[in-house]
Amino acid sequence: MKKLIYCSHCSNKNSYSQIDGAIRYHCSKCKTIHYQNPKPTATLICMKNDEILLVKRAFDPGKGEWSLPGGFIELGETPEEGAVRELKEETNLDGEAVKLIGNCSHFNSVFGDILLLGIIMKINNWGNLIPGDDAQSAGFFKLNESPKMAFECHNKILSIYKKSLHKL
Ligand SMILES: [Zn+2]
């Protein structure tokens, strides 16, 4: 990752070598270790009766393809707070995060390494649905007839959800 060539603490050139149990960027001058972590996203499962809400993406990556609604959790937010905010931004819906159902890691994406958290949402009033900033349209699909989505991790989270239904 280009941005880690120099130490953000003292501007010395970083080393990229074994330290604290892994290969990491670190500074030999001020001893700062520059840890890199995946960015967490809230990836939302919103069921309307027996149909799932998908949004058609307005921007790349995956422009024009279907995906689960959701997005990056901001600093200071819990996953549940991020889920509620993203739901509102993308669909204008108000809802509550009901349950964390699983996760999926996606490495080296456009946004770097991402940790997707699958969250089941309860929607308060479906009548408020308006596709928002990152979504050009919204659609409802039967679980077994949903289209292949833009991101493999969204397909995986949906399959985790489907499997969880059989255990109920
Ligand atoms: Zn340094």
Side-chain angles (χ1 to χ4, degrees), residues 7-12 14 27-32 34:
C7 176
S8 55
H9 189 66
C10 77
S11 309
N12 191 49
N14 281 323
C27 176
S28 57
K29 194 172 161 194
C30 76
K31 307 294 179 200
T32 299
H34 299 276

Side-chain angles (χ1 to χ4, degrees), residues 79-91:
E80 290 80 7
E81 287 165 349
V84 168
R85 178 186 48 75
E86 285 288 346
L87 177 71
K88 183 75 176 178
E89 286 177 11
E90 292 207 348
T91 68

Side-chain angles (χ1 to χ4, degrees), residues 105-162:
S105 294
H106 182 177
F107 300 107
N108 296 313
S109 75
V110 174
F111 298 109
D113 294 345
I114 297 176
L115 171 64
L116 296 92
L117 304 175
I119 300 174
I120 298 175
M121 303 298 288
K122 177 178 166 289
I123 306 304
N124 297 333
N125 179 1
W126 281 106
N128 293 335
L129 177 62
I130 304 169
D133 53 2
D134 288 345
Q136 57 179 236
S137 58
F140 293 94
F141 299 89
K142 300 267 188 212
L143 281 177
N144 290 326
E145 296 167 8
S146 63
K148 190 166 160 50
M149 291 181 281
F151 309 113
E152 201 41 51
C153 269
H154 287 205
N155 293 310
K156 184 182 166 193
I157 284 173
L158 185 55
S159 81
I160 292 170
Y161 174 68
K162 286 190 214 170

Side-chain angles (χ1 to χ4, degrees), residues 20-75:
D20 194 19
I23 306 282
R24 308 176 193 279
Y25 287 96
H26 59 100
C27 176
S28 57
K29 194 172 161 194
C30 76
K31 307 294 179 200
T32 299
I33 301 173
H34 299 276
Y35 293 97
Q36 292 180 282
N37 308 93
K39 289 188 166 72
T41 81
T43 304
L44 311 180
I45 302 282
C46 306
M47 296 299 297
K48 185 183 181 189
N49 302 317
D50 62 345
E51 294 186 319
I52 187 155
L53 169 67
L54 300 183
V55 291
K56 196 170 251 190
R57 296 180 52 78
F59 302 104
D60 276 323
K63 185 176 175 182
E65 295 180 76
W66 292 102
S67 71
L68 295 170
F72 291 108
I73 297 168
E74 300 277 4
L75 267 185

